Amino acid sequence: MNKLANMRHWSERMGPGFGMSRPNMNMTAITPQHKGINGSSPILSPTSAETPIHYSFNVPFASDLAGPNVEDILYATVGAVERWTHPADAPDDVPIYELPVHAQNVTNLRKLCKDLTSGPLPIEAYVKSSEPKRVKGQVTNVCLSGSPELVHKSRETILNDTPLALRCAVVDVDGELVIDTAQTALKSHVVEHLDQIAAFCGVDVFLLGPKFASLVDGQNANGDAGRDQRWRVAIYGDMESAEHAKTRVLIFIDRLLGRVVDGTMLELSLHTVVCGRSRKNIKLIESTTNTAIYFPPPFSQVYRYCPTGAQRRNPEEIFITGDTPQNIALAKQKIHELVTRTRIFMKDAIVSAAKIDSILLSRLDKVRKIMETNGTFIQFPALASQRSMIRIQGVEGLHVERTVRDVMSLTGQFYSASWWIQQADTSRLPSPNDIRTMLSDICANSDADVAFDKLTFTITGSDDAVKAALMVISEIRFVTRSQYQIRVKIELANEHKEFVSGKKNGKINKIMGQSSVQIIFDGFNEYNFNIDVCGANYEAMKSGLMLVEQEMPASISFHVPDQYHKRIIGIGGQHIQRIMKKHSVFVKFSNAMDRGGVGREDDDIKVDNVICRTPARNAQNLELVKSEILDMVDRVDSEFTSQTVNVDRLYHRQLIARLGQLEELEKKWNCKIIFPSTETASDDVTISGPEWQVPHCVDEFLGMVPDNHELVLASTPELIKFLESTQFTKDLVPKLKAQYVVEVHVKEDENELTEDGKPTVTLLWTFTRNNAGGVRDAIDFLNSNLAAAGIEATTVKGAIPRPKSDSFEESLQYFDSKLLQHAPPVSTDSPTKSTFGEEVARERSTIFDKLRKPGSMSSISSFLDRRKNSSHSPAGSFFKNGSSNVSKSSLISIESTRSFNADRNPWNDSGVNLPDDDTTPWPTRHFGNGSGSSNDHKPSQLQHPGDATPKHTVRASIDSGRDSGRPSTSHSTNSGYPGPIGPPRS
């Protein structure tokens, strides 16, 4: 069903506003007044300490995490196979949550709750596992009964003694480092060290073989020339333990590579501050000292769980690996210098304890991104501790303020609600057992936390979870037969008050008149305020909440260089006014001066400086406005996109050491090259910039990455004579270098033999990654010269076959012509769905997928330099195709780069008043868990934009982790919050 929260999600939809000067920020600690429902904690309704309550919540076990394939396992630590694989006699369709490790977690939870129930304290804890229809897999729920204080303490105990959010961390490793080729077995010290890591960190470790998919396309499944098939170390455990073990595996690999390992101590709260924005300070240290620096996870103090017998990582310990002790000492010195130069600004903020728990359980990836982007540290209280104070610190007040606003925006993704039963029939009241069953069903089907006290339901969770819980409660018979009142509390930024209420509260008054609900604005603090939607009928409240959500601000932000702003705005604003009136969208521009002055930071030039905002019911017009604005921008400064390039993580160190060349490359193409954090062990390098410039930057960047490919041929006297001839060394080799930008070297390997044991000769082709596409053509050119010399070459290993041609032969059977030969008949159910439409289209799709992957044998970027030097096709024609391909393949990356922040508060007006219609502008929509959506209406098909809420194309939500989608009103995995201009897109 359609979910209107998907039409607006403030943390992502609300871009920051703009002002004419920087705000005066006072970094002294402030504690704004916070008010929950009736002034109490939003988790539980007001009650005396003696009154027992019932509280139900889901335990996020991640029971859908599957173990590795048994066929891939080369080695496993003690007990790992038994825990993470099904028994041999298990049926094929056994669900994942029945893996022994998941079943044991539920068993341990039941034992813990049983101990709590039978303990000396008056608290009861019950566990229920179920498979609700709306959730794929198993949901485990805990229901607590007792006094509020004991309920909170018991919940804290359960969540901190349970392995939450199990995950699998994977580290790629070269097979030569772990295998003993002489004995064709794993090195003994490698096995011993993996066992030690597993025992020390409390995780299960698997050594998996190379991940082969198919060998038909050449060297490997992707057709990448010379791309080694690395082995994989898979680490299974809870979040903190898996990160700890992953870091120790990375350090062990560095030891195998001959690097020295050392460490230093630094207070946890200074880690992200010292790293700097986007970790640029640490990357600079790593580049100048040729070291790798491993920081601990920034949330070590939030989760207190530790597996039995394991050791937690010291949250203040930093590991450093380098080629020499002198390099490590230099890195330590530079870190110490950074610390001594650091001046800390701090600010405290109040966030609802329930929302802090929700953020810690479901939004930590966003919090980590906020911290890295702003170079700040956020101190959260421990999970389920019921404390509501967070502390933010950074080196500059501006960045601290941005971080506070980003975190406060995350709170807008969570609702709280109350359902008061006012006049109930006492003869129909449920028993305590019935209440526990009822609360467990509500939680399992909605994923919200639900409390029941004195005939009052109190619900907290994400917006969709709360609405789904209300829908489930509305179907309970004893509830619907009584008089009741429902109250839903929404948190929104102060800057959007008049946007939602309209001029003279016109929008809110209209909603209250149409849906018979009461809407109250209260709970104002420094950043947010609450919108209370109250109703005495579920259907009325549902309708009123839906209408309020449709008036929420939907926004999209992007970057346009400052020099185009006057052209887009026009004389007297005529151009932009025409666009705004046409689409009923408000557009705001910000220049460098508005963001705090020219020359603040080099990367500030790429910050999103145009914001388009409109009520959520008109969200489909945002992309149309953006398109019209970008049409006025030159191609060289076109829309910013990003592309991910796969480069071996170990080679990142050599690339970072060439930081000067990378900076020149960034300036040349107006792009930004972002390397992943050392601890992530990721191979992905992100290059972002104007969509017509990114392919050029990718091509030059890959030109800095060497690669090779081995072609093994059966040795014959004629072949050896040809390879030693002057024709080969003086004529053919230079031609290969000039025409295909590929060098070839001849060597003999005694270990490489043909199937019948005869000797071979190996041709080593070396090239850069951007010219990988020339290897296949170079091999064909060599084979043609061998054939011309009368030499038959037999390929033993390393052949790169040509892709299957797109033949139309199979379709000719449908053309009745005597001039065309008939293809053999093909059995098919429909003449329009022959094997041509399936196999060939599938093959073509596979080819183009490879073309879009940078660095592969068929990479678009790999054609660039080769084609410029080739006489077969004109230069330059591939740049346009390449950039187009890159643009299409980077759609997801585009979604993740359009974040928006601002130095100034946004405009304080009511936004754009969409034209009213005689009929209601809000069509009735189903309200609940959002299982359905409408995807058949495109923005270009709208006939009356702004009059009503049309059906719209939705996309998957990256904010809430929900099944449903939302309209494209923002494109940021970061939270876009109105306020100071944010950091550059990363």
Side-chain angles (χ1 to χ4, degrees), residues 6-7 9 13 954-955 957-960 962 965-968:
N6 292 336
M7 300 180 63
H9 214 318
R13 305 306 182 214
V954 296
R955 64 179 175 87
S957 169
I958 36 182
D959 304 327
S960 306
R962 300 185 290 265
R966 78 178 100 201
S968 181

Side-chain angles (χ1 to χ4, degrees), residues 562-588:
D562 290 357
Q563 63 266 26
Y564 296 99
H565 289 188
K566 290 184 178 180
R567 177 195 303 181
I568 298 171
I569 294 173
I571 300 175
Q574 57 181 358
H575 290 169
I576 198 64
Q577 289 288 346
R578 177 184 57 81
I579 295 175
M580 291 195 300
K581 184 176 180 180
K582 175 182 177 182
H583 298 288
S584 297
V585 173
F586 192 89
V587 181
K588 182 74 174 178

